[in-house]
Amino acid sequence: MHRHFAGRTAPVQPALQQAQRSAARPVALAADARRPLPSPVPSRAVAGQHAWAAGSRKRGSLHRTPAVATELSELASKFDIKDNVEVVEGNGGLTKVVLKHACGSQAEVYLFGGVITSWTQPSGDEVLYIRPDAKFDGVKPISGGVPHCFPQFGPGTMQQHGFARNLPWEIASTSADLQPDERDPTVELVLVDNEYTRAMWPHAFKAVFTVSLHGELLRTDLRVHNTGDEPFDFTAALHTYIEVLDIGVAKVRGLQGLRYLDKTQDATNPPEATEEREEVGFEGPVDSVYLGAKDYVELDVGTGAAVAIASSGWEDVVVWSPWTSMESCYKSFCCVENAKFGSPANVAPGGVWVATQEFAVIDLE
């Protein structure tokens, strides 16, 4: 059972604490969070193949064939870092990477879909949410955590939310970068184009997704490289599910005054409105895309704590609740997700698009 990080006493990062106190001035990521990650010390470099080759695992089975067991062992040998990074077997026999910070925070990232499925505070409190109907079968996307929507957000010319959440990513490297007092565990995942992706989206690309723990903070860095000869554009989002005490008391702050698209009215041609509320609550289904959003928003989860999200490069924010269409779980979560949707990203040959996030749990009382 998930817990709701109530009563935490850990200190709040200064930049996020200042943002909480000043509603009039959004706060971006700290300067060091916007720079590329430093050279890892120590580090493990990529070898090449993802852990789960097609046909090597029985669908929906926990049984591992000897070949798959060997692949997992090889990945662990190449990428494990004692006390900080561990490659292990997860639900459904899928491979996951566990990041452990010396302060006690942890994160779990599955190679299938490149999805973050868990982020816990030093207290052990879970921040993210996995839906009870989530499948860990390597066939359907994992519903919950922080799934990718790339190279398409929402419905369109290809499968819903694109293909990145439905493909195995590879480990490019792991590291535990030396900070002044302790190490930041990090995993870098890579997804490249193949015959399957080009059938839907005919472009050569390399997506690099980096996940790290900086103390109690969770950081992500997504880079999309154009490795072809023609420019391409795309839309994207990180579809973050966050656990709340009850959807009826959850509130999102930092959206007042923004234009938004109400996709509950029409998903393909949503009407536009302006957000007048200082706090966006939930009284029914919500599917709103806030355009040109600020680089800082908060989700009050109803326990006296909030999840603060600082970002760069994403530009838009999506707020989503399925309400009673997911009767078994809708009260326990909502999605507050960074997106690039209002104006698609355009990447020239040899170019790269970069977007970052920093998540923190902050006290409101």
Side-chain angles (χ1 to χ4, degrees):
M1 178 178 177
H2 295 271
R3 293 187 290 173
H4 301 285
F5 41 86
R8 60 184 298 281
T9 58
V12 177
Q13 292 294 316
L16 293 175
Q17 188 177 47
Q18 179 62 33
Q20 178 191 350
R21 293 173 178 171
S22 178
R25 181 172 58 89
V27 175
L29 285 171
D32 65 327
R34 296 180 183 273
R35 294 198 298 265
L37 289 171
S39 299
V41 182
S43 67
R44 304 285 188 180
V46 68
Q49 298 299 320
H50 64 75
W52 305 99
S56 64
R57 175 174 43 81
K58 294 182 179 180
R59 178 174 176 176
S61 171
L62 290 175
H63 174 72
R64 289 185 295 156
T65 65
V68 171
T70 300
E71 289 169 351
L72 181 60
S73 177
E74 289 176 350
L75 285 173
S77 176
K78 291 170 184 174
F79 298 114
D80 279 8
I81 299 174
K82 181 177 172 57
D83 299 327
N84 295 122
V85 182
E86 188 177 12
V87 182
V88 299
E89 181 178 339
N91 292 338
L94 299 176
T95 301
K96 69 179 179 181
V97 180
V98 181
L99 305 178
K100 302 177 181 180
H101 196 277
C103 75
S105 64
Q106 283 196 190
E108 297 180 359
V109 187
Y110 275 74
L111 299 194
F112 181 75
V115 56
I116 306 169
T117 56
S118 176
W119 169 40
T120 55
Q121 296 290 281
S123 61
D125 293 340
E126 179 62 70
V127 181
L128 304 179
Y129 185 80
I130 299 295
R131 282 169 24 193
D133 62 342
K135 303 295 184 185
F136 290 82
D137 59 7
V139 177
K140 297 184 66 175
I142 298 170
S143 299
V146 188
H148 288 268
C149 302
F150 172 83
Q152 174 184 287
F153 172 70
T157 59
M158 66 187 80
Q159 59 188 249
Q160 175 84 355
H161 291 322
F163 49 69
R165 64 183 187 149
N166 203 28
L167 287 173
W169 294 55
E170 296 181 4
I171 303 175
S173 68
T174 57
S175 64
D177 299 329
L178 186 62
Q179 300 298 321
D181 300 312
E182 49 204 9
R183 298 184 185 278
D184 283 0
T186 301
V187 62
E188 182 183 79
L189 302 181
V190 173
L191 179 69
V192 298
D193 61 285
N194 55 40
E195 184 177 349
Y196 175 75
T197 69
R198 288 190 296 272
M200 288 180 278
W201 194 59
H203 301 291
F205 73 92
K206 179 175 73 171
V208 182
F209 186 51
T210 304
V211 181
S212 63
L213 291 172
H214 180 67
E216 297 179 15
L217 305 181
L218 175 69
R219 289 176 171 172
T220 75
D221 182 300
L222 178 61
R223 297 168 185 253
V224 178
H225 300 258
N226 184 340
T227 58
D229 300 324
E230 299 291 335
F232 60 64
D233 54 32
F234 63 87
T235 56
L238 288 176
H239 190 28
T240 306
Y241 288 70
I242 300 173
E243 184 175 6
V244 299
L245 179 64
D246 185 278
I247 191 65
V249 298
K251 297 178 179 63
V252 185
R253 303 187 184 97
L255 303 173
Q256 188 175 30
L258 296 178
R259 294 181 301 118
Y260 70 94
L261 305 175
D262 185 356
K263 297 180 72 177
T264 62
Q265 303 297 318
D266 186 339
T268 57
N269 188 29
E272 185 175 307
T274 299
E275 183 57 73
E276 304 292 345
R277 296 168 293 178
E278 182 178 352
E279 298 182 330
V280 176
F282 301 86
E283 298 177 348
V286 175
D287 190 358
S288 300
V289 181
Y290 290 87
L291 304 173
K294 301 170 184 177
D295 50 14
Y296 179 88
V297 294
E298 290 178 4
L299 170 63
D300 182 341
V301 300
T303 64
V307 177
I309 308 172
S311 65
S312 66
W314 282 107
E315 297 183 4
D316 307 316
V317 168
V318 179
V319 179
W320 179 69
S321 168
W323 208 245
T324 53
S325 66
M326 294 184 183
E327 183 67 39
S328 66
C329 62
Y330 80 95
K331 292 183 179 180
S332 299
F333 79 93
C334 68
C335 290
V336 179
E337 48 198 280
N338 289 121
K340 180 72 167 116
F341 179 74
S343 58
N346 185 273
V347 187
V352 59
W353 175 83
V354 182
T356 66
Q357 296 172 304
E358 181 176 273
F359 296 88
V361 175
I362 61 175
D363 294 317
L364 298 177
E365 298 177 346

